[in-house]
PDB file of all heavy atoms in Angstrom:
ATOM      1  N   ALA A   1     -28.635  42.664  -8.959  1.00 98.00           N
ATOM      2  CA  ALA A   1     -27.506  43.578  -9.210  1.00 98.00           C
ATOM      3  C   ALA A   1     -27.157  44.384  -7.959  1.00 98.00           C
ATOM      4  O   ALA A   1     -25.960  44.567  -7.620  1.00 98.00           O
ATOM      5  CB  ALA A   1     -27.831  44.517 -10.349  1.00 98.00           C
ATOM      6  N   ILE A   2     -28.165  44.844  -7.222  1.00 98.00           N
ATOM      7  CA  ILE A   2     -27.900  45.596  -5.995  1.00 98.00           C
ATOM      8  C   ILE A   2     -27.351  44.705  -4.910  1.00 98.00           C
ATOM      9  O   ILE A   2     -26.419  45.056  -4.169  1.00 98.00           O
ATOM     10  CB  ILE A   2     -29.163  46.327  -5.524  1.00 98.00           C
ATOM     11  CG1 ILE A   2     -29.700  47.266  -6.596  1.00 98.00           C
ATOM     12  CG2 ILE A   2     -28.888  47.101  -4.228  1.00 98.00           C
ATOM     13  CD1 ILE A   2     -28.720  48.315  -7.095  1.00 98.00           C
ATOM     14  N   ALA A   3     -27.906  43.497  -4.802  1.00 98.00           N
ATOM     15  CA  ALA A   3     -27.390  42.517  -3.816  1.00 98.00           C
ATOM     16  C   ALA A   3     -25.925  42.203  -4.103  1.00 98.00           C
ATOM     17  O   ALA A   3     -25.100  42.110  -3.170  1.00 98.00           O
ATOM     18  CB  ALA A   3     -28.234  41.260  -3.816  1.00 98.00           C
ATOM     19  N   ASP A   4     -25.588  42.051  -5.371  1.00 98.00           N
ATOM     20  CA  ASP A   4     -24.187  41.789  -5.734  1.00 98.00           C
ATOM     21  C   ASP A   4     -23.318  42.979  -5.377  1.00 98.00           C
ATOM     22  O   ASP A   4     -22.192  42.808  -4.853  1.00 98.00           O
ATOM     23  CB  ASP A   4     -24.072  41.515  -7.236  1.00 98.00           C
ATOM     24  CG  ASP A   4     -24.550  40.126  -7.616  1.00 98.00           C
ATOM     25  OD1 ASP A   4     -24.633  39.245  -6.713  1.00 98.00           O
ATOM     26  OD2 ASP A   4     -24.823  39.905  -8.830  1.00 98.00           O
ATOM     27  N   THR A   5     -23.801  44.182  -5.615  1.00 98.00           N
ATOM     28  CA  THR A   5     -23.003  45.374  -5.294  1.00 98.00           C
ATOM     29  C   THR A   5     -22.718  45.441  -3.804  1.00 98.00           C
ATOM     30  O   THR A   5     -21.598  45.759  -3.371  1.00 98.00           O
ATOM     31  CB  THR A   5     -23.755  46.646  -5.756  1.00 98.00           C
ATOM     32  OG1 THR A   5     -24.099  46.507  -7.140  1.00 98.00           O
ATOM     33  CG2 THR A   5     -22.882  47.864  -5.567  1.00 98.00           C
ATOM     34  N   LEU A   6     -23.716  45.153  -2.991  1.00 98.00           N
ATOM     35  CA  LEU A   6     -23.531  45.124  -1.545  1.00 98.00           C
ATOM     36  C   LEU A   6     -22.535  44.032  -1.117  1.00 98.00           C
ATOM     37  O   LEU A   6     -21.604  44.304  -0.365  1.00 98.00           O
ATOM     38  CB  LEU A   6     -24.870  44.900  -0.848  1.00 98.00           C
ATOM     39  CG  LEU A   6     -25.745  46.122  -0.592  1.00 98.00           C
ATOM     40  CD1 LEU A   6     -27.198  45.723  -0.378  1.00 98.00           C
ATOM     41  CD2 LEU A   6     -25.207  46.917   0.576  1.00 98.00           C
ATOM     42  N   ALA A   7     -22.724  42.831  -1.644  1.00 98.00           N
ATOM     43  CA  ALA A   7     -21.857  41.721  -1.244  1.00 98.00           C
ATOM     44  C   ALA A   7     -20.438  41.943  -1.687  1.00 98.00           C
ATOM     45  O   ALA A   7     -19.477  41.758  -0.897  1.00 98.00           O
ATOM     46  CB  ALA A   7     -22.399  40.409  -1.840  1.00 98.00           C
ATOM     47  N   TRP A   8     -20.225  42.363  -2.905  1.00 98.00           N
ATOM     48  CA  TRP A   8     -18.866  42.563  -3.426  1.00 98.00           C
ATOM     49  C   TRP A   8     -18.201  43.751  -2.730  1.00 98.00           C
ATOM     50  O   TRP A   8     -16.978  43.759  -2.555  1.00 98.00           O
ATOM     51  CB  TRP A   8     -18.906  42.762  -4.925  1.00 98.00           C
ATOM     52  CG  TRP A   8     -19.416  41.556  -5.674  1.00 98.00           C
ATOM     53  CD1 TRP A   8     -19.406  40.269  -5.250  1.00 98.00           C
ATOM     54  CD2 TRP A   8     -20.023  41.541  -6.976  1.00 98.00           C
ATOM     55  NE1 TRP A   8     -19.969  39.439  -6.199  1.00 98.00           N
ATOM     56  CE2 TRP A   8     -20.350  40.188  -7.280  1.00 98.00           C
ATOM     57  CE3 TRP A   8     -20.297  42.528  -7.924  1.00 98.00           C
ATOM     58  CZ2 TRP A   8     -20.947  39.823  -8.481  1.00 98.00           C
ATOM     59  CZ3 TRP A   8     -20.915  42.164  -9.120  1.00 98.00           C
ATOM     60  CH2 TRP A   8     -21.210  40.817  -9.401  1.00 98.00           C
ATOM     61  N   SER A   9     -18.991  44.746  -2.351  1.00 98.00           N
ATOM     62  CA  SER A   9     -18.425  45.916  -1.643  1.00 98.00           C
ATOM     63  C   SER A   9     -17.935  45.501  -0.255  1.00 98.00           C
ATOM     64  O   SER A   9     -16.959  46.069   0.248  1.00 98.00           O
ATOM     65  CB  SER A   9     -19.444  47.033  -1.559  1.00 98.00           C
ATOM     66  OG  SER A   9     -19.770  47.524  -2.855  1.00 98.00           O
ATOM     67  N   ARG A  10     -18.617  44.566   0.356  1.00 98.00           N
ATOM     68  CA  ARG A  10     -18.126  44.058   1.652  1.00 98.00           C
ATOM     69  C   ARG A  10     -16.839  43.264   1.487  1.00 98.00           C
ATOM     70  O   ARG A  10     -15.971  43.279   2.371  1.00 98.00           O
ATOM     71  CB  ARG A  10     -19.211  43.199   2.306  1.00 98.00           C
ATOM     72  CG  ARG A  10     -20.487  43.973   2.702  1.00 98.00           C
ATOM     73  CD  ARG A  10     -21.425  43.093   3.512  1.00 98.00           C
ATOM     74  NE  ARG A  10     -22.693  43.788   3.750  1.00 98.00           N
ATOM     75  CZ  ARG A  10     -23.858  43.502   3.139  1.00 98.00           C
ATOM     76  NH1 ARG A  10     -23.872  42.513   2.219  1.00 98.00           N
ATOM     77  NH2 ARG A  10     -24.948  44.162   3.407  1.00 98.00           N
ATOM     78  N   GLU A  11     -16.727  42.548   0.371  1.00 98.00           N
ATOM     79  CA  GLU A  11     -15.526  41.750   0.121  1.00 98.00           C
ATOM     80  C   GLU A  11     -14.306  42.630  -0.144  1.00 98.00           C
ATOM     81  O   GLU A  11     -13.181  42.299   0.268  1.00 98.00           O
ATOM     82  CB  GLU A  11     -15.756  40.813  -1.054  1.00 98.00           C
ATOM     83  CG  GLU A  11     -16.785  39.717  -0.806  1.00 98.00           C
ATOM     84  CD  GLU A  11     -17.085  38.895  -2.048  1.00 98.00           C
ATOM     85  OE1 GLU A  11     -16.280  38.968  -3.016  1.00 98.00           O
ATOM     86  OE2 GLU A  11     -18.097  38.170  -2.062  1.00 98.00           O
ATOM     87  N   THR A  12     -14.518  43.731  -0.882  1.00 97.00           N
ATOM     88  CA  THR A  12     -13.414  44.640  -1.194  1.00 97.00           C
ATOM     89  C   THR A  12     -13.803  46.060  -0.816  1.00 97.00           C
ATOM     90  O   THR A  12     -14.037  46.906  -1.714  1.00 97.00           O
ATOM     91  CB  THR A  12     -13.049  44.561  -2.694  1.00 97.00           C
ATOM     92  OG1 THR A  12     -14.213  44.872  -3.482  1.00 97.00           O
ATOM     93  CG2 THR A  12     -12.555  43.173  -3.070  1.00 97.00           C
ATOM     94  N   PRO A  13     -13.903  46.356   0.478  1.00 96.00           N
ATOM     95  CA  PRO A  13     -14.433  47.653   0.901  1.00 96.00           C
ATOM     96  C   PRO A  13     -13.607  48.852   0.451  1.00 96.00           C
ATOM     97  O   PRO A  13     -14.102  49.961   0.371  1.00 96.00           O
ATOM     98  CB  PRO A  13     -14.462  47.541   2.423  1.00 96.00           C
ATOM     99  CG  PRO A  13     -13.438  46.486   2.749  1.00 96.00           C
ATOM    100  CD  PRO A  13     -13.528  45.505   1.610  1.00 96.00           C
ATOM    101  N   GLY A  14     -12.327  48.639   0.149  1.00 94.00           N
ATOM    102  CA  GLY A  14     -11.495  49.751  -0.267  1.00 94.00           C
ATOM    103  C   GLY A  14     -11.241  49.820  -1.755  1.00 94.00           C
ATOM    104  O   GLY A  14     -10.383  50.597  -2.208  1.00 94.00           O
ATOM    105  N   ASP A  15     -11.939  49.014  -2.512  1.00 98.00           N
ATOM    106  CA  ASP A  15     -11.658  48.933  -3.949  1.00 98.00           C
ATOM    107  C   ASP A  15     -12.942  48.911  -4.756  1.00 98.00           C
ATOM    108  O   ASP A  15     -13.432  47.885  -5.174  1.00 98.00           O
ATOM    109  CB  ASP A  15     -10.825  47.673  -4.234  1.00 98.00           C
ATOM    110  CG  ASP A  15     -10.272  47.619  -5.643  1.00 98.00           C
ATOM    111  OD1 ASP A  15     -10.603  48.508  -6.450  1.00 98.00           O
ATOM    112  OD2 ASP A  15      -9.516  46.681  -5.963  1.00 98.00           O
ATOM    113  N   TRP A  16     -13.474  50.082  -5.022  1.00 98.00           N
ATOM    114  CA  TRP A  16     -14.727  50.155  -5.782  1.00 98.00           C
ATOM    115  C   TRP A  16     -14.515  49.747  -7.234  1.00 98.00           C
ATOM    116  O   TRP A  16     -15.444  49.263  -7.885  1.00 98.00           O
ATOM    117  CB  TRP A  16     -15.346  51.561  -5.691  1.00 98.00           C
ATOM    118  CG  TRP A  16     -14.599  52.650  -6.387  1.00 98.00           C
ATOM    119  CD1 TRP A  16     -13.692  53.505  -5.805  1.00 98.00           C
ATOM    120  CD2 TRP A  16     -14.693  53.042  -7.760  1.00 98.00           C
ATOM    121  NE1 TRP A  16     -13.217  54.388  -6.737  1.00 98.00           N
ATOM    122  CE2 TRP A  16     -13.814  54.132  -7.961  1.00 98.00           C
ATOM    123  CE3 TRP A  16     -15.446  52.574  -8.854  1.00 98.00           C
ATOM    124  CZ2 TRP A  16     -13.662  54.765  -9.178  1.00 98.00           C
ATOM    125  CZ3 TRP A  16     -15.287  53.192 -10.082  1.00 98.00           C
ATOM    126  CH2 TRP A  16     -14.400  54.276 -10.243  1.00 98.00           C
ATOM    127  N   ARG A  17     -13.304  49.920  -7.727  1.00 98.00           N
ATOM    128  CA  ARG A  17     -13.032  49.542  -9.113  1.00 98.00           C
ATOM    129  C   ARG A  17     -13.171  48.044  -9.308  1.00 98.00           C
ATOM    130  O   ARG A  17     -13.632  47.566 -10.377  1.00 98.00           O
ATOM    131  CB  ARG A  17     -11.615  49.998  -9.523  1.00 98.00           C
ATOM    132  CG  ARG A  17     -11.514  51.504  -9.773  1.00 98.00           C
ATOM    133  CD  ARG A  17     -10.092  51.917 -10.074  1.00 98.00           C
ATOM    134  NE  ARG A  17     -10.010  53.286 -10.569  1.00 98.00           N
ATOM    135  CZ  ARG A  17     -10.051  54.356  -9.823  1.00 98.00           C
ATOM    136  NH1 ARG A  17     -10.146  54.228  -8.483  1.00 98.00           N
ATOM    137  NH2 ARG A  17      -9.980  55.590 -10.331  1.00 98.00           N
ATOM    138  N   ALA A  18     -12.804  47.249  -8.314  1.00 98.00           N
ATOM    139  CA  ALA A  18     -12.966  45.802  -8.393  1.00 98.00           C
ATOM    140  C   ALA A  18     -14.447  45.444  -8.486  1.00 98.00           C
ATOM    141  O   ALA A  18     -14.844  44.529  -9.216  1.00 98.00           O
ATOM    142  CB  ALA A  18     -12.298  45.128  -7.207  1.00 98.00           C
ATOM    143  N   VAL A  19     -15.275  46.125  -7.706  1.00 98.00           N
ATOM    144  CA  VAL A  19     -16.717  45.896  -7.766  1.00 98.00           C
ATOM    145  C   VAL A  19     -17.268  46.324  -9.107  1.00 98.00           C
ATOM    146  O   VAL A  19     -18.087  45.595  -9.709  1.00 98.00           O
ATOM    147  CB  VAL A  19     -17.443  46.649  -6.633  1.00 98.00           C
ATOM    148  CG1 VAL A  19     -18.934  46.375  -6.659  1.00 98.00           C
ATOM    149  CG2 VAL A  19     -16.850  46.261  -5.271  1.00 98.00           C
ATOM    150  N   TRP A  20     -16.820  47.473  -9.615  1.00 98.00           N
ATOM    151  CA  TRP A  20     -17.262  47.945 -10.930  1.00 98.00           C
ATOM    152  C   TRP A  20     -16.974  46.898 -12.004  1.00 98.00           C
ATOM    153  O   TRP A  20     -17.820  46.601 -12.854  1.00 98.00           O
ATOM    154  CB  TRP A  20     -16.552  49.246 -11.258  1.00 98.00           C
ATOM    155  CG  TRP A  20     -16.964  49.853 -12.565  1.00 98.00           C
ATOM    156  CD1 TRP A  20     -17.916  50.809 -12.769  1.00 98.00           C
ATOM    157  CD2 TRP A  20     -16.446  49.542 -13.877  1.00 98.00           C
ATOM    158  NE1 TRP A  20     -18.025  51.120 -14.122  1.00 98.00           N
ATOM    159  CE2 TRP A  20     -17.123  50.335 -14.820  1.00 98.00           C
ATOM    160  CE3 TRP A  20     -15.479  48.649 -14.339  1.00 98.00           C
ATOM    161  CZ2 TRP A  20     -16.864  50.295 -16.182  1.00 98.00           C
ATOM    162  CZ3 TRP A  20     -15.231  48.594 -15.685  1.00 98.00           C
ATOM    163  CH2 TRP A  20     -15.905  49.405 -16.594  1.00 98.00           C
ATOM    164  N   LYS A  21     -15.808  46.302 -11.935  1.00 98.00           N
ATOM    165  CA  LYS A  21     -15.422  45.310 -12.945  1.00 98.00           C
ATOM    166  C   LYS A  21     -16.330  44.098 -12.882  1.00 98.00           C
ATOM    167  O   LYS A  21     -16.781  43.552 -13.923  1.00 98.00           O
ATOM    168  CB  LYS A  21     -13.965  44.894 -12.743  1.00 98.00           C
ATOM    169  CG  LYS A  21     -13.468  43.915 -13.794  1.00 98.00           C
ATOM    170  CD  LYS A  21     -12.011  43.576 -13.606  1.00 98.00           C
ATOM    171  CE  LYS A  21     -11.534  42.600 -14.687  1.00 98.00           C
ATOM    172  NZ  LYS A  21     -10.102  42.257 -14.506  1.00 98.00           N
ATOM    173  N   ARG A  22     -16.676  43.642 -11.689  1.00 98.00           N
ATOM    174  CA  ARG A  22     -17.545  42.494 -11.546  1.00 98.00           C
ATOM    175  C   ARG A  22     -18.966  42.820 -12.020  1.00 98.00           C
ATOM    176  O   ARG A  22     -19.656  41.968 -12.625  1.00 98.00           O
ATOM    177  CB  ARG A  22     -17.552  42.001 -10.105  1.00 98.00           C
ATOM    178  CG  ARG A  22     -16.191  41.473  -9.653  1.00 98.00           C
ATOM    179  CD  ARG A  22     -16.190  41.059  -8.207  1.00 98.00           C
ATOM    180  NE  ARG A  22     -16.861  39.791  -7.999  1.00 98.00           N
ATOM    181  CZ  ARG A  22     -16.858  39.111  -6.843  1.00 98.00           C
ATOM    182  NH1 ARG A  22     -16.235  39.616  -5.788  1.00 98.00           N
ATOM    183  NH2 ARG A  22     -17.508  37.979  -6.732  1.00 98.00           N
ATOM    184  N   LEU A  23     -19.414  44.044 -11.763  1.00 98.00           N
ATOM    185  CA  LEU A  23     -20.742  44.462 -12.279  1.00 98.00           C
ATOM    186  C   LEU A  23     -20.733  44.454 -13.808  1.00 98.00           C
ATOM    187  O   LEU A  23     -21.708  44.003 -14.427  1.00 98.00           O
ATOM    188  CB  LEU A  23     -21.063  45.870 -11.777  1.00 98.00           C
ATOM    189  CG  LEU A  23     -21.476  45.995 -10.304  1.00 98.00           C
ATOM    190  CD1 LEU A  23     -21.483  47.473  -9.887  1.00 98.00           C
ATOM    191  CD2 LEU A  23     -22.847  45.369 -10.070  1.00 98.00           C
ATOM    192  N   GLU A  24     -19.665  44.922 -14.379  1.00 97.00           N
ATOM    193  CA  GLU A  24     -19.551  44.962 -15.835  1.00 97.00           C
ATOM    194  C   GLU A  24     -19.621  43.537 -16.423  1.00 97.00           C
ATOM    195  O   GLU A  24     -20.305  43.308 -17.407  1.00 97.00           O
ATOM    196  CB  GLU A  24     -18.214  45.614 -16.236  1.00 97.00           C
ATOM    197  CG  GLU A  24     -17.963  45.716 -17.699  1.00 97.00           C
ATOM    198  CD  GLU A  24     -18.799  46.753 -18.379  1.00 97.00           C
ATOM    199  OE1 GLU A  24     -19.405  47.618 -17.669  1.00 97.00           O
ATOM    200  OE2 GLU A  24     -18.886  46.733 -19.601  1.00 97.00           O
TER     201      GLU A  24
END
């Protein structure tokens, strides 16, 4: 889960909501 959060945050550095949705 943390690795995904890091990777997805690099993919969309300005959009935390997009990362939140993928975590969900």
Side-chain angles (χ1 to χ4, degrees):
I2 301 303
D4 284 341
T5 307
L6 276 160
W8 296 337
S9 295
R10 294 187 186 106
E11 292 174 16
T12 57
D15 190 355
W16 68 265
R17 285 175 169 81
V19 181
W20 182 95
K21 183 177 180 181
R22 295 177 75 172
L23 286 168
E24 180 73 15

